[in-house]
Amino acid sequence: MSAPKVELYTPRKCSATNRLIIPTDHASVQINVAVLDENGHVIPGRYETVTLCGMIRSNGEADAALNRLCSDLKLAENLLD
């Protein structure tokens, strides 16, 4: 008996644009943002994953996109005020 085939590639989507990140997009990044408690301390093992495609980074919009996503996820209060 042969072992079943297992798919090794899992496609990702950009958190800012919802675009599919292709395997050859070497400028894309995946960032784990720590979740904080009410006192501002990091909760061990808790994080939110944000993925940004290379197009966002090459257009210089990564910082604004990361700020918006963190604000939407309630990871940074009053960030866009």
Side-chain angles (χ1 to χ4, degrees), residues 6-71:
V6 177
E7 187 68 35
L8 297 177
Y9 175 71
T10 304
R12 297 179 296 161
K13 286 184 123 178
C14 178
S15 299
T17 63
N18 232 13
R19 294 171 57 141
L20 188 65
I21 297 176
I22 59 175
T24 57
D25 186 358
H26 299 294
S28 64
V29 293
Q30 182 170 317
I31 302 170
N32 291 334
V33 181
V35 176
L36 305 177
D37 63 10
E38 60 275 350
N39 297 323
H41 298 104
V42 175
I43 300 173
R46 297 271 322 269
Y47 57 87
E48 293 286 337
T49 302
V50 176
T51 308
L52 298 173
C53 64
M55 185 218 36
I56 291 290
R57 297 185 67 215
S58 66
N59 288 344
E61 300 171 6
D63 187 44
L66 185 60
N67 286 343
R68 181 180 55 81
L69 290 167
C70 287
S71 181

